[in-house]
C-alpha cells in the first residue's frame, strides 16, 4: 500500500505540469476562457505569406507595440496600425525607438490580461519572451558582456606596475573587505543585466508573472543521483532530466573518445547484460561508434578505468548556475523551471533550439492549436561598455610623451551610438577624434573602417546596450525598422 502511494507520487512529479505548477494552468485557463481574439486578421509585416516564421515553423505571426498610459504605466500592447493612427492623430507620442514604445496622451481605462514573461537565463545570452493567452507580445535575446574579467585584470596589472615604480608607501593592513553575497564583477554584471532587462520589460508591458529557467536539470528530483537508483527510463521527461545531467557531467562530449558535436547516446558503464544497473552512477554518454565498439565490455575493460569514478562523483554545478539564477529567483520572487522540462516541451512542439524559443516555452507558450501566435520580430540586444575611463594610454609614445586614451564624444557622436550611413543602420564601434569612425552592425559585421562622421545621422544613443529589431523570419543580418516614419 505504502509502496504504491510512493510510486504514484513519483509518477505525478514527472509530468510537466507537476514540475511547474503555477504558470501552465493559468495560461491554459486563459486560453480556454478567451478563445481566439480579434487579432487574427493582422496583416502587417511581413506581408508575404511565403515567408514562414523561422522560430515557429508557422506562417502565423503578429506584432505588438507596447503602450503606456498618461501616467507612464504599461497598458496592453496594441497593433502597429493602431499605433500609427494614434501617432498621426496626435493622440500618442513615441517614448522609445528600439523596441518601439508609445505613450498615450489621453486618459483611458485599463483592460489588462495576464502576461507571462519567460526568461532563458544564460552565461552569454539571455532569451526572453512575453506571452498572453493568444500571442507572443515581445521576444528577444540579449548578449551579455564577456570582457569584464579581462579588463579588470588589465587594470590591475597597470596599477601594480605603476605603484611599484612610485615612491615608498607605508604598508597597509587589512583594509579590504567583501560584503556578504559579494559576487565577482563579471558575474555581478550578468546578474544585474538579468534584473535590469526584466525590470525594463515590466516598464513597457503589464507583466503579471515571471518564470526563469534556473538549471538544466533538477538535482532534487534525482535524489542524490550518484547513490540512489533513478530509473532513467522513467518516462520521457525524466529521460531529459537525466540526459541533461549527464551532458553537464561529461562536458557535452563522448566519455571515451572525447568527440564533440556528435549525437551522444546514454551508455551503461557496466553493461546491463552483465548486471549493470540503470542508476545514474552507472551511466555515461558516448558516441555511436564507441558505444558499438565497447559492446559487452565494462568501461575498465574498454580501457577507461577513470569513468566509473567520475560517474560516482557528485557534479560540481557551475558557479553561474547555482549562484546567479537562484539569486535571481530570490530577488525577483518569481517562478522557475528547469531546462529539461523546457527541452521536452520545445521538442514536443517541434521548435528549433534558440534562446527565444526556449524563453517562449518557459513562459508556457504553445504554437499548436489554440496556442500563441509568435512575434514577427525579434529584438536583438547586446550589452556594451559605457565608458573607458583610462586617461592615458598605458605605453608612452616616443620621447616619453603621454597620449590621451580615448575621446568621449566627437561631434555629437559617442561610442556605440546607432547611426544611419547610406540608409544602413549600424553602430559606432570605433570613435576617433579625427571624425572618421569604425562602423559595424550589432553582430560585428563591418560596414566601414573609417567613415566620415559628416555622412552619418544619429538615430539612437547607446545606454549600456545596443539594440536592433530583426525579422523572426530570416536568418540574414538585415535589420528592420518597423516604424520608419517615426
Ligand atoms: Zn566516442
Amino acid at each position: 500500500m505504502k509502496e504504491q502511494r510512493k510510486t504514484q507520487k513519483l509518477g505525478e512529479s514527472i509530468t510537466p505540469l507537476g514540475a511547474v505548477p503555477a504558470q501552465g494552468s493559468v495560461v491554459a485557463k486563459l486560453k480556454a476562457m478567451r478563445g481566439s481574439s480579434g487579432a487574427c486578421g493582422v496583416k502587417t509585416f511581413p506581408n508575404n505569406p511565403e515567408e514562414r516564421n523561422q522560430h515557429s515553423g508557422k506562417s502565423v505571426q503578429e506584432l505588438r507595440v507596447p503602450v503606456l498610459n498618461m501616467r507612464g504605466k504599461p497598458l496592453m500592447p496594441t497593433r502597429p496600425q493602431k499605433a500609427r493612427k494614434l501617432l498621426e492623430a496626435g493622440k500618442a507620442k513615441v517614448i522609445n525607438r528600439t523596441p518601439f514604445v508609445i505613450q498615450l496622451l489621453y486618459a483611458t481605462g485599463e483592460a489588462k490580461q495576464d502576461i507571462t514573461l519567460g526568461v532563458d537565463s544564460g552565461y552569454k545570452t539571455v532569451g526572453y519572451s512575453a506571452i498572453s493567452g493568444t500571442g507572443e507580445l515581445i521576444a528577444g535575446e540579449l548578449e551579455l558582456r564577456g570582457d569584464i574579467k579581462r579588463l579588470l585584470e588589465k587594470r590591475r596589472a597597470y596599477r601594480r606596475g605603476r605603484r611599484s615604480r612610485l615612491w615608498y608607501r607605508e604598508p597597509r593592513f587589512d583594509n579590504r573587505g567583501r560584503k556578504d553575497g559579494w559576487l565577482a564583477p563579471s558575474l555581478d554584471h550578468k546578474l544585474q543585466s538579468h534584473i535590469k532587462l526584466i525590470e525594463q520589460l515590466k516598464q513597457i508591458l503589464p507583466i503579471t508573472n515571471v518564470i526563469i529557467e534556473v538549471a538544466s536539470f533538477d538535482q532534487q528530483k534525482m535524489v542524490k543521483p550518484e547513490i540512489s537508483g533513478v530509473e532513467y527510463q522513467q518516462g520521457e521527461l525524466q529521460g531529459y532530466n537525466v540526459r541533461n545531467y549527464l551532458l553537464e557531467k561529461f562536458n557535452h562530449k563522448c566519455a571515451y573518445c572525447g568527440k564533440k558535436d556528435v549525437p551522444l547516446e546514454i551508455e551503461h558503464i557496466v553493461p546491463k547484460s552483465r548486471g549493470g544497473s540503470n542508476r545514474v552512477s552507472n551511466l555515461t554518454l558516448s558516441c555511436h561508434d564507441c558505444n558499438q565498439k565497447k559492446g559487452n565490455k565494462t568501461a575498465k575493460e574498454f580501457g577507461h578505468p577513470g569513468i566509473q569514478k567520475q560517474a560516482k562523483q557528485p557534479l560540481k554545478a557551475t558557479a553561474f548556475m547555482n549562484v546567479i539564477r537562484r539569486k535571481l529567483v530570490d530577488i525577483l520572487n518569481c517562478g522557475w523551471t528547469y531546462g529539461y522540462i523546457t527541452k521536452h516541451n520545445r521538442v514536443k512542439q517541434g521548435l528549433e533550439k534558440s534562446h527565444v524559443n526556449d524563453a517562449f516555452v518557459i513562459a508556457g507558450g504553445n504554437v499548436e492549436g489554440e496556442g500563441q501566435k509568435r512575434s514577427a520580430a525579434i529584438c536583438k540586444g547586446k550589452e556594451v561598455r559605457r565608458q573607458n575611463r583610462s586617461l592615458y594610454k598605458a605605453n608612452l609614445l616616443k620621447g616619453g610623451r603621454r597620449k590621451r586614451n580615448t575621446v568621449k564624444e566627437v561631434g555629437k557622436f559617442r561610442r556605440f551610438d546607432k547611426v544611419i550611413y547610406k540608409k544602413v543602420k549600424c553602430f559606432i564601434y570605433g570613435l576617433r577624434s579625427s571624425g572618421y569612425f569604425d562602423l559595424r552592425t550589432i553582430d560585428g559585421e563591418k560596414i566601414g573602417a573609417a567613415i566620415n562622421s559628416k555622412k552619418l545621422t544619429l538615430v539612437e544613443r547607446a545606454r549600456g546596450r545596443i539594440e536592433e529589431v530583426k525579422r523572426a523570419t530570416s536568418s540574414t543580418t538585415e535589420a528592420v525598422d518597423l516604424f520608419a516614419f517615426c
Side-chain angles (χ1 to χ4, degrees):
M1 190 66 197
K2 247 184 178 177
E3 196 61 31
Q4 200 181 353
R5 197 176 289 160
K6 222 177 175 183
T7 48
Q8 259 178 356
K9 261 194 177 160
L10 194 65
E12 271 168 21
S13 69
I14 55 179
T15 62
L17 281 182
V20 220
Q23 67 285 2
S25 55
V26 173
V27 173
K29 239 181 222 168
L30 269 170
K31 266 187 266 178
M33 266 158 50
R34 219 176 298 117
S36 68
S37 77
C40 30
V42 181
K43 264 196 208 157
T44 40
F45 149 106
N47 224 343
N48 181 0
E50 306 254 305
E51 270 187 45
R52 289 162 68 82
N53 189 329
Q54 189 194 28
H55 65 199
S56 75
K58 290 188 178 185
S59 53
V60 208
Q61 25 192 342
E62 290 194 314
L63 265 187
R64 285 287 182 265
V65 177
V67 183
L68 308 182
N69 69 12
M70 273 178 86
R71 288 170 291 130
K73 294 273 176 286
L75 300 169
M76 286 304 286
T78 188
R79 289 180 298 160
Q81 300 96 312
K82 177 102 185 278
R84 186 172 288 136
K85 274 181 193 153
L86 286 168
L87 286 168
E88 278 166 2
K91 287 178 175 171
K93 63 177 178 181
V94 180
I95 289 290
N96 198 22
R97 259 193 97 110
T98 330
F100 194 73
V101 182
I102 63 168
Q103 181 173 21
L104 297 180
L105 299 172
Y106 63 96
T108 50
E110 297 182 19
K112 281 187 189 171
Q113 299 161 20
D114 280 354
I115 296 181
T116 304
L117 173 69
V119 179
D120 175 25
S121 65
Y123 195 77
K124 278 183 187 157
T125 314
V126 189
Y128 57 92
S129 167
I131 60 166
S132 69
T134 51
E136 190 179 34
L137 306 174
I138 199 167
E141 52 185 55
L142 176 67
E143 199 181 309
L144 304 178
R145 284 179 61 184
D147 57 349
I148 294 179
K149 188 166 184 260
R150 181 179 56 82
L151 290 172
L152 288 179
E153 275 167 0
K154 208 167 120 187
R155 182 180 72 182
R156 188 167 60 177
Y158 285 157
R159 282 186 174 164
R160 283 214 176 127
R162 208 158 58 222
R163 284 176 184 164
S164 66
R165 265 187 265 125
L166 283 183
W167 62 88
Y168 173 75
R169 288 165 193 252
E170 205 173 307
R172 296 181 189 170
F173 176 70
D174 200 16
N175 65 345
R176 301 285 190 276
R178 279 172 184 173
K179 283 178 192 156
D180 285 349
W182 176 91
L183 283 176
S186 53
L187 291 180
D188 195 46
H189 159 77
K190 293 179 199 302
L191 176 67
Q192 297 304 335
S193 298
H194 279 85
I195 295 171
K196 196 169 77 182
L197 175 72
I198 293 167
E199 291 303 327
Q200 282 171 345
L201 288 170
K202 276 182 175 172
Q203 278 172 13
I204 59 171
L205 287 172
I207 289 164
T208 46
N209 193 8
V210 180
I211 300 162
I212 295 174
E213 185 182 300
V214 287
S216 69
F217 55 87
D218 188 351
Q219 194 128 29
Q220 238 103 64
K221 207 149 253 174
M222 307 205 305
V223 208
K224 292 194 180 168
E226 283 79 14
I227 319 160
S228 69
V230 176
E231 296 276 322
Y232 83 99
Q233 276 160 335
Q234 243 169 18
E236 204 184 342
L237 189 67
Q238 191 61 13
Y240 274 105
N241 195 22
V242 172
R243 209 182 142 77
N244 275 4
Y245 173 85
L246 291 172
L247 278 170
E248 218 143 303
K249 184 159 210 168
F250 295 97
N251 296 326
H252 295 258
K253 54 190 176 187
C254 172
Y256 300 110
C257 68
K259 233 187 247 169
K260 265 191 160 184
D261 302 318
V262 289
L264 294 172
E265 298 167 353
I266 292 182
E267 205 267 337
H268 291 79
I269 294 170
V270 176
K272 277 185 92 174
S273 58
R274 295 177 55 184
S277 73
N278 272 340
R279 292 178 178 192
V280 182
S281 59
N282 190 40
L283 298 176
T284 182
L285 290 171
S286 101
C287 64
H288 184 72
D289 291 350
C290 290
N291 204 350
Q292 293 295 316
K293 255 187 252 164
K294 182 170 170 275
N296 205 22
K297 289 179 201 153
T298 66
K300 202 175 171 185
E301 289 163 1
F302 191 52
H304 295 269
I307 285 172
Q308 182 74 70
K309 206 178 156 196
Q310 198 187 349
K312 278 188 177 157
Q313 272 168 357
L315 179 86
K316 273 187 204 156
T318 59
F320 180 69
M321 236 171 59
N322 264 354
V323 183
I324 306 283
R325 294 196 248 199
R326 282 287 172 192
K327 221 169 187 172
L328 204 56
V329 170
D330 285 349
I331 292 170
L332 296 167
N333 195 16
C334 61
W336 71 87
T337 183
Y338 292 97
Y340 74 99
I341 299 171
T342 309
K343 193 174 172 193
H344 172 87
N345 292 338
R346 180 170 53 75
V347 172
K348 211 169 69 183
Q349 294 185 34
L351 298 174
E352 329 170 347
K353 180 163 178 56
S354 79
H355 295 287
V356 175
N357 282 348
D358 274 349
F360 177 74
V361 172
I362 289 167
N366 189 359
V367 288
E368 288 157 344
E370 291 278 288
Q372 283 86 0
K373 289 175 193 139
R374 298 301 302 271
S375 168
I378 292 179
C379 196
K380 209 167 175 232
K382 191 176 179 183
E383 293 278 311
V384 291
R385 186 177 191 182
R386 278 172 193 260
Q387 208 55 247
N388 178 355
R389 294 192 294 183
S390 318
L391 295 178
Y392 297 100
K393 296 265 188 231
N395 300 316
L396 302 182
L397 293 176
K398 253 187 203 169
R401 281 180 299 124
R402 289 212 283 188
K403 197 182 172 195
R404 293 288 301 195
N405 188 39
T406 52
V407 277
K408 192 177 175 186
E409 198 172 284
V410 177
K412 59 191 171 179
F413 300 105
R414 293 185 183 183
R415 195 164 282 106
F416 293 120
D417 281 347
K418 194 193 243 181
V419 292
I420 298 178
Y421 170 65
K422 288 188 177 169
K423 292 184 184 169
V424 176
K425 291 207 179 69
C426 48
F427 300 93
I428 300 175
Y429 271 64
L431 185 83
R432 303 196 191 95
S433 53
S434 63
Y436 287 82
F437 303 154
D438 180 11
L439 302 181
R440 294 183 205 179
T441 66
I442 198 164
D443 304 312
E445 194 195 326
K446 279 211 165 146
I447 299 291
I451 305 296
N452 190 341
S453 58
K454 283 174 190 160
K455 292 177 185 166
L456 305 178
T457 319
L458 181 65
V459 181
E460 225 175 2
R461 284 250 184 260
R463 283 159 297 192
R465 183 188 299 169
I466 54 180
E467 270 177 314
E468 213 171 67
V469 174
K470 287 189 171 183
R471 269 171 205 249
T473 43
S474 67
S475 53
T476 58
T477 47
E478 168 209 22
V480 259
D481 202 343
L482 303 178
F483 303 93
F485 63 90
C486 299

Coordinates of all heavy atoms in Angstrom, one line a residue, residues 48 93 114 130 235 252 255 270 274 346 351 411 435-436 461:
N48 N 4.3 38.8 -46.6 CA 4.5 37.8 -47.6 C 4.1 36.4 -47.0 O 4.8 35.9 -46.1 CB 5.9 37.8 -48.0 CG 6.2 36.8 -49.1 OD1 5.3 36.0 -49.5 ND2 7.5 36.7 -49.5
K93 N 2.6 59.7 -28.3 CA 3.9 60.1 -28.6 C 4.9 58.9 -28.5 O 4.6 58.0 -27.8 CB 4.4 61.3 -27.8 CG 4.5 60.9 -26.3 CD 5.0 62.1 -25.5 CE 5.1 61.8 -24.0 NZ 5.5 62.8 -23.2
D114 N -3.5 38.7 -18.3 CA -2.3 38.1 -17.7 C -1.2 38.0 -18.7 O -1.4 37.5 -19.8 CB -2.6 36.8 -17.1 CG -3.2 36.9 -15.7 OD1 -3.3 38.0 -15.2 OD2 -3.6 35.9 -15.2
A130 N 7.5 37.3 -23.9 CA 6.4 37.6 -23.0 C 5.1 37.2 -23.8 O 5.0 37.6 -25.0 CB 6.3 39.1 -22.7
G235 N 9.8 7.3 -18.0 CA 9.1 8.3 -18.7 C 10.0 9.2 -19.5 O 11.2 9.3 -19.2
H252 N 29.4 17.6 -22.4 CA 28.8 17.5 -23.7 C 29.7 16.8 -24.7 O 29.7 17.1 -25.9 CB 28.5 18.9 -24.2 CG 27.5 19.6 -23.4 ND1 26.2 19.8 -23.8 CD2 27.6 20.2 -22.2 CE1 25.5 20.4 -22.9 NE2 26.3 20.7 -21.9
A255 N 32.4 10.2 -23.6 CA 33.3 10.0 -22.5 C 34.5 9.1 -22.9 O 35.5 9.1 -22.2 CB 32.5 9.2 -21.4
V270 N 28.9 -0.4 -16.7 CA 28.8 -1.8 -16.6 C 27.6 -2.3 -17.4 O 26.5 -1.9 -17.1 CB 28.8 -2.3 -15.2 CG1 28.7 -3.9 -15.1 CG2 30.0 -1.9 -14.4
R274 N 25.6 -7.7 -18.1 CA 26.5 -8.2 -17.1 C 26.1 -7.7 -15.7 O 26.9 -7.6 -14.8 CB 27.9 -7.9 -17.4 CG 28.3 -8.6 -18.7 CD 29.7 -8.3 -19.2 NE 30.7 -8.5 -18.2 CZ 32.0 -8.2 -18.4 NH1 32.4 -7.6 -19.5 NH2 32.9 -8.5 -17.5
R346 N 9.7 22.0 -25.8 CA 10.1 22.6 -27.1 C 10.2 21.5 -28.2 O 9.7 21.7 -29.3 CB 11.5 23.2 -26.9 CG 12.0 23.9 -28.2 CD 13.2 24.7 -28.0 NE 14.3 24.0 -27.3 CZ 15.1 23.1 -27.9 NH1 15.0 22.8 -29.1 NH2 16.1 22.5 -27.2
L351 N 9.9 22.9 -32.2 CA 10.6 24.2 -32.3 C 12.1 23.9 -32.3 O 12.6 23.1 -31.6 CB 10.2 25.2 -31.2 CG 8.8 25.6 -31.0 CD1 8.6 26.4 -29.8 CD2 8.4 26.4 -32.3
G411 N 32.1 65.4 -32.3 CA 30.9 66.0 -32.9 C 29.8 65.8 -31.9 O 29.9 66.0 -30.7
G435 N 37.3 62.1 -36.5 CA 36.0 62.2 -37.1 C 35.7 61.1 -38.1 O 34.7 61.1 -38.8
Y436 N 36.6 60.2 -38.2 CA 36.4 59.0 -39.1 C 36.2 57.8 -38.3 O 37.1 57.4 -37.5 CB 37.6 58.9 -40.1 CG 37.6 59.9 -41.2 CD1 38.1 61.2 -40.9 CD2 37.0 59.7 -42.4 CE1 38.1 62.2 -41.9 CE2 37.0 60.6 -43.4 CZ 37.6 61.9 -43.1 OH 37.5 62.9 -44.1
R461 N 21.0 56.9 -29.0 CA 22.1 56.8 -28.1 C 22.2 55.4 -27.5 O 21.2 54.8 -27.2 CB 22.0 57.8 -27.0 CG 22.3 59.2 -27.4 CD 23.6 59.7 -26.8 NE 23.8 61.1 -27.1 CZ 24.6 61.5 -28.1 NH1 25.3 60.6 -28.8 NH2 24.8 62.7 -28.3

